[in-house]
């Protein structure tokens, strides 16, 4: 059952809160501006580094044989990985030959979700209806239910607690060469791992979970003592609880995965003896990368340039949104001051939104343009011209919209 509460915020309090948001807005504005500037520089430097690297990179003909002539050179090669390392799960006592093992722990818990509905009142105050809903679902960590708004009937317990865990092999070969930790950790093709638990481990786990279950639920189940009733292994999942088909609050499930020893991978790095090290470009940027599967040198660098372009545009969009949001926080007090006059508040709210959007886009373009003037002058000049055109278009459109609003409300 949902729980509701109503909170009313007076006009004066709302005005005070809006003024407090100005500082947050300025902080966000400066942070977004700095991110936009950094993003453009990072794009150019990364592109330059990739271009320089591609110019000196050589194809590694046969990584399965050590080639002294490649020493100190940036190479692109494809080979199979291998390792003899055994990775041991200390909590559950089993070992497996793998490049990596990972376990993910989840707990069946009550979840509290909050939704808010805001209503403006004619006196400038705000009425907020807060609804708390409760549902049972899996969670990556135990949830404390003592602070729930409706604690009764939504009490969380946990039958046992375990940490997530990830292990990596220290020795992984790449043909006749060895991979360093950075390259090893780039091998991320996980597959299910069935935990090989001994009878001793199963017995101890079952006893521990049974005791925890009976302590939390104060009920002793009539179960066959010869079976592990509270420990269930199904493929790569270990389920701790009475019934894996009927979840109960407090149950725990643990999923195990591994990266098998043998994978075809492509490495781009500088040959350093029997290992590899990063390539360092003239601008200080470095390149050392492992990708899954077979790729030629041209394919690799084409993909890297496309990734650089995609990341740059993603940060540009994020930066523009952050700038607009920051300006709305800074000028939000203007809208709040007019809340006591609904008609005026609607017009002012729309106007502030348009102005903040226009200023946010224009400011972002100016920052990007100035950054490109610094790094790429011709592109920077083009962006400045676009920013000027947008100012003219948005300004003219905003005037026309305000006139239309005035006509409609007369």
């Amino acid at each position: 059952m949902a729980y509701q509460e109503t909170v009313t915020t007076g006009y004066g309090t709302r005005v005070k809160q809006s003024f407090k948001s100005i500082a947050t807005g300025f902080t966000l504005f400066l942070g977004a501006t700095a991110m936009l500037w950094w993003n453009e520089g990072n794009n150019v430097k990364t592109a330059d580094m990739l271009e320089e690297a591609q110019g000196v990179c050589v194809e590694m003909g046969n990584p399965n044989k050590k080639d002294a002539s490649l020493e100190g050179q940036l190479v692109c090669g494809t080979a199979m990985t291998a390792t003899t390392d055994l990775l041991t799960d200390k909590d559950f006592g089993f070992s497996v030959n793998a490049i990596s093992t990972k376990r993910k722990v989840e707990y069946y818990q009550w979840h509290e979700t909050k939704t808010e509905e805001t209503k403006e009142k004619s006196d400038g105050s705000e009425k907020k209806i807060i609804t708390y809903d409760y549902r049972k679902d899996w969670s990556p960590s135990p949830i404390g239910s003592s602070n729930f708004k409706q604690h009764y009937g939504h009490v969380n317990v946990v039958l046992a607690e375990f940490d997530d865990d990830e292990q990596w092999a220290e020795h992984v070969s790449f043909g006749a060469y060895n991979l360093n930790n950075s390259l090893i950790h780039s091998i991320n093709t996980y597959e299910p791992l069935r935990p090989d638990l001994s009878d001793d481990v199963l017995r101890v786990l079952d006893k521990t979970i049974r005791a925890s279950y009976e302590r939390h639920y104060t009920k002793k189940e009539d179960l066959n003592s010869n079976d592990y009733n509270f420990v269930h292994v199904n493929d790569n999942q270990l389920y701790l609880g009475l019934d894996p088909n009927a979840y109960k609050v407090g149950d725990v499930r643990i999923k195990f995965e591994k990266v098998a020893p043998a994978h075809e991978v492509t490495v781009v790095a500088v040959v350093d003896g029997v290992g590899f090290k990063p390539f360092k470009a003239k601008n200080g940027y470095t390149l050392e990368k492992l990708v899954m599967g077979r790729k030629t040198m041209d394919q690799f660098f084409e993909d890297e340039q496309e990734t650089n372009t995609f990341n740059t545009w993603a940060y540009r969009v994020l930066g523009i949104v952050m700038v607009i949001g920051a300006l709305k926080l800074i000028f939000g007090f203007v809208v709040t001051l007019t809340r006591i006059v609904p008609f005026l508040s609607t017009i002012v709210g729309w106007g502030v939104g348009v102005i903040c959007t226009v200023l946010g886009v224009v400011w972002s373009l100016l920052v990007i343009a100035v950054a490109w003037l610094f790094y790429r002058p011709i592109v920077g000049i083009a962006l400045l011209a676009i920013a000027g055109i947008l100012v003219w278009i948005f300004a003219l459109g905003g005037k026309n919209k305000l006139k239309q609003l005035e006509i409609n409300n007369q």
Side-chain angles (χ1 to χ4, degrees), residues 92-158:
F92 298 101
F94 68 92
S95 300
V96 62
N97 171 226
I99 290 176
S100 176
T101 58
K102 179 167 61 176
R103 74 177 186 218
K104 178 68 177 177
V105 186
E106 293 180 299
Y107 306 86
Y108 198 64
Q109 301 279 272
W110 279 106
H111 292 247
E112 179 184 73
T113 56
K114 182 173 71 172
T115 56
E116 298 181 357
E117 181 184 0
T118 302
K119 295 182 179 179
E120 297 283 345
K121 301 180 71 175
S122 59
D123 61 355
S125 63
E126 178 185 74
K127 180 181 179 182
K128 185 180 294 182
I129 300 174
I130 306 174
T131 302
Y132 298 88
D133 288 297
Y134 299 87
R135 61 181 175 83
K136 290 182 282 187
D137 203 351
W138 291 99
S139 169
S141 60
I143 298 174
S145 57
S146 59
N147 294 323
F148 284 176
K149 281 293 181 178
Q150 193 177 50
H151 177 64
Y152 180 75
H154 307 112
V155 179
N156 277 330
V157 298
V158 174

Side-chain angles (χ1 to χ4, degrees), residues 207-225:
K207 183 178 179 180
T208 301
I209 302 304
R210 179 190 294 270
S212 180
Y213 180 91
E214 294 176 350
R215 182 172 64 254
H216 288 302
Y217 289 105
T218 63
K219 177 184 178 182
K220 292 190 176 182
E221 300 286 344
D222 184 18
L223 302 170
N224 188 343
S225 60

Side-chain angles (χ1 to χ4, degrees), residues 139-389:
S139 169
S141 60
I143 298 174
S145 57
S146 59
N147 294 323
F148 284 176
K149 281 293 181 178
Q150 193 177 50
H151 177 64
Y152 180 75
H154 307 112
V155 179
N156 277 330
V157 298
V158 174
L159 297 184
E161 287 191 47
F162 295 94
D163 294 326
D164 289 345
D165 186 54
E166 189 172 23
Q167 298 188 54
W168 291 90
E170 294 183 1
H171 310 96
V172 178
S173 63
F174 173 81
Y177 298 83
N178 297 320
L179 299 178
N180 57 33
N181 285 337
S182 175
L183 296 173
I184 292 173
H185 287 212
S186 298
I187 308 172
N188 53 14
T189 306
Y190 283 92
E191 60 187 58
L193 166 64
R194 182 180 176 87
D196 184 16
L197 305 183
S198 68
D199 285 339
D200 289 341
V201 170
L202 290 170
R203 190 177 302 109
V204 171
L205 270 176
D206 186 72
K207 183 178 179 180
T208 301
I209 302 304
R210 179 190 294 270
S212 180
Y213 180 91
E214 294 176 350
R215 182 172 64 254
H216 288 302
Y217 289 105
T218 63
K219 177 184 178 182
K220 292 190 176 182
E221 300 286 344
D222 184 18
L223 302 170
N224 188 343
S225 60
N226 294 323
D227 296 330
Y228 300 126
N229 296 291
F230 289 86
V231 180
H232 313 271
V233 179
N234 183 19
D235 293 329
N236 69 318
Q237 178 176 282
L238 173 65
Y239 192 96
L240 306 178
L242 183 59
D243 187 352
N245 298 312
Y247 306 150
K248 198 173 183 69
V249 171
D251 288 1
V252 183
R253 68 182 183 186
I254 306 171
K255 293 182 179 179
F256 297 86
E257 294 180 310
K258 70 174 182 178
V259 175
H263 284 282
E264 185 178 51
V265 300
T266 299
V267 169
V268 176
V270 173
V271 176
D272 183 25
V274 294
F276 298 96
K277 66 180 181 180
F279 165 79
K280 187 172 184 179
K282 295 175 182 178
N283 62 11
Y285 273 44
T286 60
L287 176 64
E288 179 188 57
K289 194 162 185 177
L290 178 149
V291 294
M292 305 303 298
R294 176 179 295 273
K295 285 192 177 183
T296 65
M297 185 175 69
D298 289 340
Q299 288 174 332
F300 172 84
F301 282 101
E302 181 180 349
D303 289 347
E304 289 300 299
Q305 290 287 10
E306 288 179 356
T307 299
N308 183 38
T309 300
F310 176 83
N311 290 339
T312 301
W313 276 105
Y315 276 109
R316 282 172 183 162
V317 173
L318 176 61
I320 292 172
V321 171
M322 289 173 62
V323 169
I324 294 172
L327 291 174
K328 288 183 177 180
L329 285 174
I330 293 172
F331 295 105
F333 74 94
V334 177
V335 181
T336 303
L337 287 172
T338 62
R339 291 296 184 189
I340 54 176
V341 184
F343 161 68
L344 182 61
S345 175
T346 301
I347 295 178
V348 172
W350 182 89
V352 169
V354 170
I355 291 172
C356 289
T357 300
V358 173
L359 290 178
V361 172
V362 171
W363 175 258
S364 299
L365 288 177
L366 287 173
V367 172
I368 293 171
V370 172
W372 274 90
L373 280 174
F374 184 78
Y375 295 107
R376 294 284 192 271
I378 295 177
V379 178
I381 292 172
L383 286 173
L384 283 174
I386 293 173
I389 293 171

Side-chain angles (χ1 to χ4, degrees), residues 6-25:
T6 302
V7 178
T8 301
T9 305
Y11 175 71
T13 302
R14 295 185 69 191
V15 172
K16 290 179 182 179
Q17 291 174 344
S18 66
F19 277 106
K20 290 180 180 179
S21 297
I22 295 175
T24 303

